[in-house]
């Protein structure tokens, strides 16, 4: 069943006394309309990328801040390539495939573990994890394979998993720390996204390879996240906690990508276990709370920062992962399809209206709930979120292959020992100067912001 929305008629909206005209007239009953809209948003997103120009570094967006101040952290580039792989997978548009493949391959690092030494000043398990999940998506979609002398997408995902599988320690009874290296600010913080990326990757590797070791690690991490209270009985997922307090000082701010990353992991565990009742109830619980917290009026909403537009650059991108991973959930846990698609349709319709600002008059803001009144913000995160929530609406209109496995046509070359060459002693990578060590990965900014009280009201 295809949800229908007023689309053409919504092109001109009366707001106050002035007419605001929308740039896009998205028709969710038309594949062409969805593809055209997503293609233009993707094009505008890629205007930020300079990695394939002379002097640019392949695979990375400008950044990290403060060079330039509006720049991006390394992880978000990895997340963008994952989005572009899905963009190709849904739409068939190969325009960005080569730049995507080249970008990922440039950033695999000296040991092919998605930890290039250039970025050791800001290497979180979540940063590495996002690149690992992008590699996993490439394997699941049979994205164009690297040449034989390069590690396959599956091997890169396995390297990320293997290097992380040995990192949980006894503080707080288990779990991954946020940062990889002891000299980084945040090494004493155990957070939901770092553990969520590992959980997600483990579940998908189990499904892809049928190797139960990955599933066992995923279960262990899930159990730990629940036992320590980062995920509560209602399936709220909170940001993180410090080891100095035995992880009892839980920062209760909630971000949409945490819901997405655990939901898709749980859906893969559901699929891997041939539809177990346990994982079904976990998927249902996460989905229910995702809708309760992040979909007021059926439109995806970044509850921690959207109202006051106090989002950091990272946060502006979170709805991209939420919406893409909701769509991916429908493929491995089909019973969720009819619950999820109406939310993605309403969000897409709203997001398209919000792409109505900037110099070209069609840059996307974050505030999908504000219709065609652009919120004044623009960036890679906003473009990525809008395009993701739009292209996933091809699902009801045309066949989109579900994620492959090694036994259903996946051709990516794996290496279950990948990552073994990784630097065993991370202190060896410690930079000569520590002046720049707060360079920050995903959530440093949150900790800083939280310390100034901006999110304090949420830390009940
Ligand atoms: C870089 O990639 C973008 C996106 O694919 C493309 O439009 C542009 O022409 C490329 N630039 C160079 C110098 O190859
Ligand atoms: C991608 O690269 C391959 C090999 O170099 C080339 O044949 C193909 O035309 C490129 N595709 C695009 C869309 O640029
Ligand atoms: C690391 O930095 C150097 C110097 O800017 C650059 O040439 C190289 O491409 C970078 N490598 C990665 C993986 O970012
Ligand atoms: C730390 O918390 C765990 C529960 O997460 C508990 O089992 C353990 O006893 C606590 N350790 C200390 C030293 O309080
Ligand atoms: C799922 O079903 C397949 C086929 O019957 C079986 O080989 C596999 O072991 C099952 N997986 C689990 C985790 O029970
Ligand atoms: C959905 O969430 C609401 C609010 O937390 C809760 O009362 C209800 O029991 C949940 N339903 C399911 C099926 O989890
Ligand atoms: C697992 O995923 C496949 C591929 O998307 C799907 O066909 C199958 O129905 C799923 N299994 C269950 C138990 O839902
Ligand atoms: C997939 O499974 C086959 C048969 O078990 C095995 O030979 C092959 O190496 C596997 N491929 C990967 C990428 O692991
Ligand atoms: C399963 O994965 C684990 C962890 O990477 C690895 O040690 C083991 O060799 C794998 N088993 C098989 C049969 O490939």
């Amino acid at each position: 069943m295809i949800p229908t929305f007023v689309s053409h008629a919504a092109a001109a909206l009366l707001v106050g006394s002035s007419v605001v005209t929308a740039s896009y007239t998205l028709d969710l009953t038309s594949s062409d309309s969805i593809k055209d809209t997503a293609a233009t948003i993707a094009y505008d997103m890629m205007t930020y990328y300079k990695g394939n120009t002379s002097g640019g570094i392949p695979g990375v967006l400008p950044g990290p801040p403060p060079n330039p101040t509006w720049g991006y952290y390394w992880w978000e580039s990895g997340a963008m390539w994952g989005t572009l792989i899905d963009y190709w997978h849904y739409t068939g548009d190969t325009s960005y495939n080569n730049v995507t493949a080249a970008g990922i391959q440039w950033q695999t690092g000296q040991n092919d573990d998605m930890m290039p030494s250039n970025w050791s000043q800001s290497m979180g398990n979540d940063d590495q994890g996002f690149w690992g999940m992008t590699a996993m998506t490439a394997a699941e979609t049979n994205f164009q394979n690297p040449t034989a002398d390069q590690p396959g997408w599956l091997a890169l995902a396995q390297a990320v998993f293997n290097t992380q599988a040995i990192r949980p320690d006894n503080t707080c009874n288990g779990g991954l720390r946020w940062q990889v290296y002891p000299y980084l600010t945040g090494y004493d913080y155990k957070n939901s996204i770092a553990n969520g990326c590992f959980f997600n990757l483990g579940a998908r590797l189990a499904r892809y390879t049928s190797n139960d070791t990955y599933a066992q690690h995923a279960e262990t991490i899930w159990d730990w996240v629940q036992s320590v209270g980062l995920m509560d009985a209602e399936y709220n997922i909170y940001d993180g906690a410090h080891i100095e307090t035995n992880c009892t000082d839980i920062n209760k701010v909630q971000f949409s990508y945490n819901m997405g990353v655990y939901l898709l992991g749980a859906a893969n565990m559901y699929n891997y276990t041939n539809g177990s009742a346990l994982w079904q109830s976990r998927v249902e619980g996460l989905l229910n709370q995702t809708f309760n917290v992040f979909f007021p009026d059926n439109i995806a909403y970044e509850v921690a920062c959207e109202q006051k537009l106090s989002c950091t650059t990272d946060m502006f991108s979170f709805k991209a992962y939420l919406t893409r991973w909701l769509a991916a959930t429908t493929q491995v846990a089909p019973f969720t399809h009819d619950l999820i698609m109406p939310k993605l349709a309403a969000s897409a319709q709203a997001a398209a209206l919000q792409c109505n600002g900037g110099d070209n008059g069609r840059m996307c803001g974050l505030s999908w709930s504000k219709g065609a009144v652009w919120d004044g913000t623009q960036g890679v995160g906003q473009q990525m979120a809008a395009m993701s929530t739009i292209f996933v609406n091809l699902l009801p209109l045309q066949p989109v292959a579900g994620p492959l496995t090694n036994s259903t046509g996946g051709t990516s070359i794996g290496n279950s020992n990948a990552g073994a060459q990784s630097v065993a002693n991370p202190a060896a990578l410690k930079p000569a100067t520590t002046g720049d060590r707060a360079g920050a990965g995903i959530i440093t900014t949150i900790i800083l912001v939280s310390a100034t009280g901006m999110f304090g009201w949420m830390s009940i």
Side-chain angles (χ1 to χ4, degrees), residues 345-414:
S347 295
Q349 207 70 68
L353 287 175
Q354 181 59 205
C355 295
N356 206 23
D359 288 345
N360 63 12
R362 60 173 196 231
M363 297 305 284
C364 305
L366 179 75
S367 306
W368 300 348
S369 304
K370 291 183 182 161
V373 184
W374 181 54
D375 67 8
T377 73
Q378 58 186 305
V380 171
Q382 291 92 319
Q383 295 300 117
M384 190 170 19
M387 68 183 268
S388 296
T389 198
I390 289 168
F391 70 64
V392 297
N393 279 281
L394 288 167
L395 270 177
L397 302 184
Q398 63 178 47
V400 176
L404 299 170
T405 70
N406 183 29
S407 57
T408 62
T411 58
S412 190
I413 307 291

Side-chain angles (χ1 to χ4, degrees), residues 73 75 121-129 164 167 169 171 174-182 184-195 197 224 239-243 257 314 437-448:
Y73 291 107
W75 76 275
Q121 307 276 319
S122 61
M123 186 56 69
N125 282 302
D126 45 1
D127 301 58
Q128 184 196 16
Q164 296 196 348
R167 289 181 190 151
D169 59 18
T171 59
L176 281 165
R177 295 166 184 258
W178 170 29
Q179 292 298 309
V180 173
Y181 303 126
L184 293 170
T185 303
Y187 186 68
D188 65 341
Y189 194 62
K190 292 198 167 179
N191 61 354
S192 293
I193 190 63
N195 286 282
C197 293
W224 176 80
D239 189 69
H242 291 89
I243 62 171
Y257 70 162
D314 290 345
R437 73 196 179 101
I442 297 188
I443 308 182
T444 296
T445 40
I446 294 169
I447 292 185
L448 300 179

Side-chain angles (χ1 to χ4, degrees), residues 75 79 83 86 90 130 133 193 200 204 235 237 254-265 267 283 286-296 298-304 306 314-330 336 340-341 343-345 347-348 366 368 381 384-393 395:
W75 76 275
T83 304
D86 266 346
Y90 281 79
F130 263 89
M133 292 188 291
I193 190 63
N200 179 297
R204 291 162 69 183
Y235 293 93
I237 303 177
Q254 294 193 62
F255 294 109
S256 65
Y257 70 162
N258 276 322
M259 285 305 208
V261 84
Y262 282 92
L263 177 65
L264 180 57
V283 169
L286 281 168
L287 197 55
N288 185 35
Q289 203 61 0
T290 299
F291 294 159
N292 290 341
V293 176
F294 294 100
F295 281 86
N298 291 336
I299 298 173
Y301 183 77
E302 196 61 51
V303 66
E306 189 167 318
D314 290 345
M315 296 173 200
F316 277 112
S317 73
F318 290 172
K319 289 196 290 187
Y321 324 122
L322 173 66
T323 52
R324 259 174 69 218
W325 292 337
L326 277 165
T329 293
T330 69
T336 62
I340 288 174
M341 289 318 297
K343 311 278 184 188
L344 294 178
S347 295
L366 179 75
W368 300 348
M384 190 170 19
M387 68 183 268
S388 296
T389 198
I390 289 168
F391 70 64
V392 297
N393 279 281
L395 270 177

Side-chain angles (χ1 to χ4, degrees), residues 162 211 213-214 416:
N162 289 341
N211 180 337
T213 306
Y214 300 115
S416 62

Side-chain angles (χ1 to χ4, degrees), residues 170-174 224 226-229 245-248:
N170 289 333
T171 59
C172 305
N173 264 353
W224 176 80
Q226 281 195 326
S227 72
V228 83
T245 69
N246 193 23
C247 292
T248 58

